[in-house]
Amino acid sequence: MQTQTLRTIAGIVNSVETLEGAGFLVRRPFPKSSFSAFDPFLLLDELGPIQLKPGQAKGAPDHPHRGFETVSYILDGRLEHKDSEGHAGLLNPGDVQWMTAGAGVVHSEMPEAEFTRTGGRLHGIQLWVNLPQQDKMIAPRYQEIPAAQIPVAQTEDGSVRVRVIAGEALGAKAVIETRTPIIYLHFTLQPGATIAQPVPRAYNAFAYVLDGSGLFGAEQEQGEDGQMVIFTQDGEEVTIANSAEAQQPLDLLLIAGVPLNEPVVRYGPFVMNSEAEIIQAIDDYQNGRMGRIHV
Ligand code: CO
């Protein structure tokens, strides 16, 4: 058997806290002034975890997107989604919505009314995946996968569990289709557990720690809750371990994609390849050509 080369760590990125939408707090490793994107990824936001009082939940009212995909993964709480195509849906814990905005949608992402009334724990992840130039103006598409349909796998001893949102892990294959090759895995490692996940060299890869603290890469560098761990492209396998002395499970996302290597011009919710395309996007939005939400 041929031995795989283990990737090393290129760096650890701390999240910044920022207010989004109508004023909800997110932790964001990127984009920020010193780190604008990680090709093909444009943004990662962790919403919460936060314990909300009754009436306290806030969301993101009507706003557009063009030129990329937004991937929402709900861990706790309930979010409601409505858009300009008349599409509406409710996201429950464990559900994933992979929205290909393409040429454009106007949508709202709000806590569900009943959840807002009662309050409760809210925790979610949003990832922005860039689209290649040839796909930026395709028709919008939704893949809404309820928690029960997200493939789950675990090691024989049960010390590692993975939810496979995109790509493949521990023999389980994702049901979500991606425009370019993407790996999106949610791993939970018990104390003392280790994983070795194949990630082809062509992929840019990072881990984001949701809870606990882990040892990453060939050099076993430490990464904690709220940190993004960037792997170099120097191997075909990434290793992650939870120390045997750890007091809690390690919960993390492992995300990887093949870089597009195309010019990125971004302006808020529009991500295109040129300034002219951004000006066009603003004009299309302002003149209602991305549609409006009809309540
Ligand atoms: Co949005």
Side-chain angles (χ1 to χ4, degrees), residues 60 63-65 70 99 107 109 126 128:
H63 62 277
H65 293 290
T70 66
M99 182 185 86
H107 75 165
E109 298 156 285
Q126 190 163 92
W128 289 10

Side-chain angles (χ1 to χ4, degrees), residues 114-282:
E114 179 61 17
F115 176 77
T116 304
R117 201 182 61 76
T118 57
R121 188 179 150 101
L122 184 63
H123 192 195
I125 303 291
Q126 190 163 92
L127 174 72
W128 289 10
V129 181
N130 203 4
L131 283 168
Q133 185 159 28
Q134 64 192 37
D135 287 348
K136 283 194 178 289
M137 295 297 281
I138 59 174
R141 177 186 181 197
Y142 289 91
Q143 297 178 80
E144 264 163 354
I145 314 298
Q149 286 172 32
I150 300 286
V152 180
Q154 55 180 20
T155 50
E156 232 160 75
D157 64 358
S159 66
V160 178
R161 183 178 183 271
V162 64
R163 304 190 77 232
V164 183
I165 296 167
E168 270 184 76
L170 298 177
K173 202 170 186 306
V175 295
I176 289 171
E177 296 165 357
T178 62
R179 301 296 304 186
T180 59
I182 303 287
I183 293 169
Y184 188 156
L185 306 169
H186 178 183
F187 278 107
T188 306
L189 280 72
Q190 298 304 319
T194 299
I195 52 153
Q197 170 67 33
V199 178
R201 265 178 213 263
Y203 288 62
N204 269 335
F206 71 94
Y208 181 77
V209 183
L210 294 170
D211 205 13
S213 164
L215 302 169
F216 295 83
E219 62 272 67
Q220 299 221 305
E221 203 158 315
Q222 191 169 338
E224 295 176 355
D225 184 0
Q227 288 185 320
M228 171 184 184
V229 180
I230 301 176
F231 293 93
T232 50
Q233 274 180 278
D234 56 359
E236 300 91 25
E237 201 164 73
V238 304
T239 51
I240 303 172
N242 192 7
S243 149
E245 287 80 50
Q247 300 297 307
Q248 62 174 110
L250 166 65
D251 208 26
L252 69 103
L253 305 175
L254 178 64
I255 297 174
V258 176
L260 303 176
N261 294 313
E262 290 176 349
V264 174
V265 183
R266 61 198 287 173
Y267 179 78
F270 308 127
V271 183
M272 302 302 288
N273 302 108
S274 71
E275 291 281 346
E277 289 166 343
I278 291 292
I279 292 165
Q280 184 65 53
I282 296 167

